[in-house]
Amino acid sequence: MPRVGMEPIRRAALVKATIAEVGLKGSLDVTVARIAKRAGVSSGLAHHYFGGKEDLLFAAMRHILTLYGASVRAQLLRAGTPRDRLAAIIRASFGPDNFEPHVIAAWLSFYVHAQSDPGARRLLGIYQARLGSNLTHALRPLASSRAPDIARTLASVIDGLYIRHALGGAPDGPQATARVLALADVLVDAA
Amino acid sequence: MPRVGMEPIRRAALVKATIAEVGLKGSLDVTVARIAKRAGVSSGLAHHYFGGKEDLLFAAMRHILTLYGASVRAQLLRAGTPRDRLAAIIRASFGPDNFEPHVIAAWLSFYVHAQSDPGARRLLGIYQARLGSNLTHALRPLASSRAPDIARTLASVIDGLYIRHALGGAPDGPQATARVLALADVLVDAA
Amino acid sequence: MPRVGMEPIRRAALVKATIAEVGLKGSLDVTVARIAKRAGVSSGLAHHYFGGKEDLLFAAMRHILTLYGASVRAQLLRAGTPRDRLAAIIRASFGPDNFEPHVIAAWLSFYVHAQSDPGARRLLGIYQARLGSNLTHALRPLASSRAPDIARTLASVIDGLYIRHALGGAPDGPQATARVLALADVLVDAA
Amino acid sequence: MPRVGMEPIRRAALVKATIAEVGLKGSLDVTVARIAKRAGVSSGLAHHYFGGKEDLLFAAMRHILTLYGASVRAQLLRAGTPRDRLAAIIRASFGPDNFEPHVIAAWLSFYVHAQSDPGARRLLGIYQARLGSNLTHALRPLASSRAPDIARTLASVIDGLYIRHALGGAPDGPQATARVLALADVLVDAA
DNA sequence: AATGAATGAGGATTCATTCAT
DNA sequence: GATGAATGAATCCTCATTCAT
């Protein structure tokens, strides 16, 4: 059944299957065989296209971050006022694409992985920096010199809500968005 | 050379070694053999005393939470006013015992583990509930009905700062304490 | 881009690439993929033309022996006296075509392979018989009835020098030739 | 069934099984599982004691060379005259311990392996140097300054006879001994 | 109480081979 | 004629766990 031009299709399927497996298991302790099976291919093919398990996990991580970046950009397009921009960034973080149990589980797993893998750490560092700069940028017109500080606090709350969501019993997406946004308002107003 | 009454000593050594290994590796992907070696005993003994790797990890997790609880209590003893109590709780979270790279790494690993292990999840749930109730209790005199809400936000920020510390580049203990306390003040004042 | 009449070209390229890879690796533990890549074709084509890895290796081995036979014949054409013929055979064994590190490495690998593969063993048997008969024939006028015995000894020395060359630190081609020829002279004269 | 003090027994059994398998197969393309099975242990144990396949093969190689060295020393003990010493060395090379099909097959395999493995190459280099120095030493009283040259030739013939024996149809041990010794005599006498 | 010998299941990885295009 | 997509068997290696001593 081999056909030409399958590479991008297979790669996408494998990355998607990796995220699904990691999310399901709640840890990076997944087997290549299971991922491949979920993607509907042989385990050999996963190695053929990605070189090894490590690379596959890395690609999955990058994919999640790419999706996140895309949803932030999508939300920002519709934002007019500075506060709209702020809301857009926060909303993206807790949007249905990102704030879904499996994705959060995968996300958290990657955080742990980043502790021992420099490549993963670099990737997450980029995400954190971008989140911080996005928030700061949106806050600048609202809080001028206090913007970076408030941005840091908001970023921490966002990450904290992620962790809590991963363990269940945390507010859902819209609630989380509202809560962070409310916090932002308080911090901005607290001249 | 076996002597009587060694059990508590061995157990403590193994738990400590487990935390050290998990912290060092940055994940739960540690071997019983390494843990045992670090504890200065055979791998067989680890099973003898704990039943299995899972149980050893669980004991280590419980130990970390116990230490955390103890340091909270210790800080609270010296606290007089409500705000002192609030500061005590936050300070304990970022105290040298808990806010140390290896311990944070272990902590975060356990968070991930809790996603798939109900026992671990229950344990972390208890910690979260206690942190929440401690904070709420301390905030009650300062913010009355808004106390639970503020407590939740503070708890999220604390967890978020933990995550960020695990990846490096985050503020150190005293700075983190100051930042959270400042946030608490703002939230309390924002009537 | 496939064109007609490519078969002999592809076959030759694959055989050459096989010898190169085997020589480079120093063992038959080479992959068809690497060989194919070196030959500038796909791995599928190697199977298409040769049926399988085994057959490809066999073809390569036969090619080496064919080259050797050709160089012996070429040297013999210019030989007049019996001793010239003897020198010609020996010189061919250590000529630049055969006594080159990669070729020797391949040669030795094939010797090992012949231990488990009857086809390869037969091929090497033919080479040994021909070397023996060539030497005996050349020695007959010089040593009459002692010719077969001397031939056997010379053949052994030649093989021994090959082995030693494979591991490095052995004499180069001309030196090896001189040494074996000197030995031949001594043996012939030792009536 | 674990008992104490099994390590040396297991190591010896595994090394012996390795040589047997390599000799049987005629190449280093043997599986750890087969070796372990022949040794009567699990494959895990082979890794436990040797670290990996490579190390196991290396140990086997070293064992063969050790045996060879021992048999040379044993033969030399009974040697009186220089010629006796010469005969002793040659006899050891073709003695029943070393000149046995499986051992020769293993030996030749190791030669090939040495082409790509520096450790193996060093080991064989030591063997070759020792054989050369043994022969030279024994020949010195018989051939003075020509000793090194004759030694080199004899060493080559010995290796050559090994190769030829590996492929079958070569003389047996005593015959090989006699032939090499006769050659030595001729070379010594050929002033 | 403690060891470490031993197992065996499980998993990543490689690679010859097949085959639709 | 030629490709490279795809498979799956084979193999090395790791490691939790058991158990005789």
Side-chain angles (χ1 to χ4, degrees):
Chain A
M1 309 99 182
R3 292 188 245 154
V4 293
M6 293 303 280
E7 176 155 353
I9 297 170
R10 297 307 191 198
R11 292 186 86 101
L14 281 163
V15 162
K16 201 180 155 197
T18 302
I19 295 171
E21 282 294 324
V22 170
L24 205 62
K25 187 96 191 283
S27 89
L28 297 194
D29 221 0
V30 290
T31 71
V32 173
R34 282 189 69 84
I35 293 172
K37 189 169 191 180
R38 178 180 289 270
V41 299
S42 72
S43 70
L45 204 65
H47 286 91
H48 180 62
Y49 281 129
F50 286 92
K53 188 188 187 180
E54 202 70 5
D55 310 81
L56 184 48
L57 290 176
F58 189 77
M61 190 171 169
R62 191 160 46 194
H63 186 67
I64 281 189
L65 294 175
T66 300
L67 284 187
Y68 171 74
S71 73
V72 169
R73 268 195 306 281
Q75 292 283 345
L76 281 177
L77 280 183
R78 293 179 248 153
T81 71
R83 190 170 181 286
D84 280 354
R85 297 183 63 82
L86 190 61
I89 296 165
I90 296 168
R91 203 178 307 121
S93 293
F94 299 114
D97 285 354
N98 304 308
F99 209 55
E100 193 249 332
H102 284 184
V103 175
I104 294 177
W107 194 279
L108 189 51
S109 296
F110 287 136
Y111 258 98
V112 169
H113 186 53
Q115 292 188 107
S116 53
D117 181 58
R121 181 182 292 238
R122 206 173 320 123
L123 223 49
L124 280 182
I126 292 171
Y127 145 72
Q128 287 190 339
R130 201 152 50 189
L131 173 58
S133 110
N134 278 337
L135 288 171
T136 304
H137 201 250
L139 284 162
R140 188 69 69 182
L142 304 169
S144 63
S145 71
R146 290 175 303 127
D149 231 54
I150 297 177
R152 267 196 291 273
T153 298
L154 294 183
S156 292
V157 182
I158 291 172
D159 278 3
L161 284 170
Y162 258 84
I163 260 195
R164 303 194 146 236
H165 200 82
L167 292 183
D172 64 12
Q175 282 179 319
T177 305
R179 187 166 298 178
V180 178
L181 202 46
L183 175 62
D185 288 339
V186 170
L187 292 175
V188 165
D189 290 347
Chain B
M1 310 91 180
R3 296 189 246 150
V4 293
M6 293 302 280
E7 175 155 354
I9 297 172
R10 297 305 194 199
R11 292 186 82 101
L14 280 163
V15 162
K16 201 178 155 199
T18 302
I19 294 170
E21 282 294 326
V22 170
L24 206 62
K25 188 93 190 285
S27 89
L28 297 194
D29 222 0
V30 292
T31 71
V32 173
R34 280 189 70 85
I35 293 171
K37 189 172 189 182
R38 180 181 286 270
V41 300
S42 71
S43 69
L45 203 65
H47 285 87
H48 181 63
Y49 279 132
F50 286 91
K53 187 188 187 180
E54 204 69 4
D55 310 83
L56 183 49
L57 289 175
F58 189 77
M61 192 171 167
R62 190 160 49 195
H63 185 67
I64 281 189
L65 294 175
T66 300
L67 284 186
Y68 171 73
S71 75
V72 169
R73 271 195 304 282
Q75 291 284 346
L76 282 177
L77 280 182
R78 292 179 250 156
T81 69
R83 192 169 179 288
D84 280 354
R85 297 184 63 82
L86 191 60
I89 297 165
I90 295 168
R91 204 180 303 120
S93 292
F94 299 115
D97 285 355
N98 304 307
F99 209 56
E100 194 250 331
H102 285 184
V103 175
I104 294 177
W107 193 279
L108 189 51
S109 295
F110 286 137
Y111 257 98
V112 168
H113 185 52
Q115 293 188 108
S116 54
D117 182 58
R121 179 183 295 237
R122 207 174 316 123
L123 221 49
L124 280 182
I126 292 171
Y127 144 74
Q128 288 191 337
R130 198 153 52 191
L131 173 58
S133 110
N134 278 337
L135 287 171
T136 305
H137 201 250
L139 283 162
R140 188 70 71 183
L142 303 169
S144 62
S145 71
R146 289 176 303 125
D149 231 53
I150 297 177
R152 267 196 291 271
T153 298
L154 293 183
S156 292
V157 181
I158 291 173
D159 279 4
L161 284 170
Y162 258 83
I163 256 195
R164 303 193 146 236
H165 202 82
L167 292 183
D172 64 14
Q175 282 179 319
T177 305
R179 188 166 298 179
V180 177
L181 202 48
L183 175 63
D185 289 338
V186 169
L187 292 176
V188 165
D189 290 346
Chain C
M1 310 90 179
R3 295 190 246 149
V4 293
M6 292 302 281
E7 175 156 353
I9 297 172
R10 298 305 194 196
R11 291 186 83 101
L14 281 164
V15 162
K16 202 179 154 197
T18 301
I19 295 170
E21 282 294 324
V22 170
L24 206 62
K25 187 93 191 284
S27 90
L28 297 194
D29 223 359
V30 290
T31 70
V32 173
R34 281 188 70 84
I35 293 171
K37 188 172 188 181
R38 179 182 287 270
V41 300
S42 72
S43 70
L45 204 65
H47 285 87
H48 180 61
Y49 280 133
F50 287 91
K53 188 188 187 180
E54 203 68 6
D55 310 83
L56 183 49
L57 289 176
F58 189 77
M61 191 170 167
R62 190 161 47 195
H63 185 68
I64 281 190
L65 294 175
T66 300
L67 285 186
Y68 171 73
S71 74
V72 169
R73 268 194 306 281
Q75 292 283 345
L76 281 177
L77 280 183
R78 294 180 248 154
T81 70
R83 191 172 180 285
D84 280 354
R85 297 183 63 83
L86 191 60
I89 297 165
I90 296 168
R91 205 179 305 121
S93 292
F94 299 114
D97 285 354
N98 304 308
F99 208 55
E100 194 250 332
H102 283 185
V103 175
I104 294 176
W107 193 278
L108 190 51
S109 296
F110 287 135
Y111 257 98
V112 169
H113 186 52
Q115 291 188 109
S116 54
D117 182 56
R121 179 182 295 237
R122 206 174 319 123
L123 221 49
L124 280 182
I126 292 171
Y127 144 74
Q128 288 191 336
R130 199 153 51 189
L131 173 58
S133 110
N134 278 337
L135 287 171
T136 305
H137 201 250
L139 283 162
R140 188 70 70 182
L142 304 169
S144 62
S145 72
R146 289 177 301 124
D149 230 53
I150 297 177
R152 267 195 291 272
T153 297
L154 293 183
S156 292
V157 182
I158 291 173
D159 278 4
L161 284 171
Y162 258 84
I163 255 194
R164 302 192 147 238
H165 201 82
L167 292 182
D172 64 13
Q175 282 179 319
T177 305
R179 187 166 297 178
V180 177
L181 202 47
L183 175 63
D185 288 340
V186 170
L187 291 176
V188 165
D189 290 347
Chain D
M1 310 95 181
R3 292 188 246 152
V4 294
M6 294 302 280
E7 175 155 352
I9 297 170
R10 297 308 191 198
R11 291 187 86 100
L14 281 163
V15 162
K16 203 179 154 197
T18 301
I19 295 170
E21 282 293 324
V22 170
L24 205 62
K25 187 94 191 283
S27 89
L28 298 194
D29 221 359
V30 291
T31 71
V32 174
R34 280 189 69 84
I35 293 171
K37 189 170 191 181
R38 179 181 289 270
V41 300
S42 71
S43 70
L45 205 65
H47 286 93
H48 180 61
Y49 281 129
F50 286 92
K53 188 188 187 181
E54 203 69 6
D55 310 80
L56 185 49
L57 289 175
F58 189 76
M61 191 172 168
R62 190 160 47 194
H63 185 67
I64 282 189
L65 294 175
T66 301
L67 285 186
Y68 172 73
S71 73
V72 169
R73 269 194 305 280
Q75 291 284 346
L76 281 177
L77 281 182
R78 292 178 251 155
T81 69
R83 191 170 179 287
D84 281 353
R85 298 182 63 82
L86 191 60
I89 296 165
I90 296 168
R91 205 179 303 120
S93 293
F94 299 114
D97 286 354
N98 304 309
F99 209 55
E100 194 249 331
H102 285 184
V103 175
I104 294 177
W107 194 280
L108 189 51
S109 296
F110 286 137
Y111 258 97
V112 169
H113 186 53
Q115 292 188 104
S116 53
D117 182 58
R121 180 182 294 239
R122 207 175 317 123
L123 223 49
L124 280 182
I126 292 171
Y127 144 74
Q128 288 191 338
R130 200 152 51 189
L131 173 57
S133 108
N134 277 337
L135 287 171
T136 304
H137 201 249
L139 284 163
R140 187 70 69 182
L142 305 170
S144 63
S145 72
R146 288 177 303 128
D149 231 53
I150 298 178
R152 267 196 291 272
T153 298
L154 293 182
S156 292
V157 182
I158 291 173
D159 278 4
L161 284 170
Y162 258 84
I163 261 195
R164 303 194 146 237
H165 201 81
L167 293 182
D172 64 14
Q175 282 179 318
T177 306
R179 186 165 300 180
V180 176
L181 202 46
L183 175 62
D185 288 339
V186 170
L187 292 175
V188 166
D189 289 346

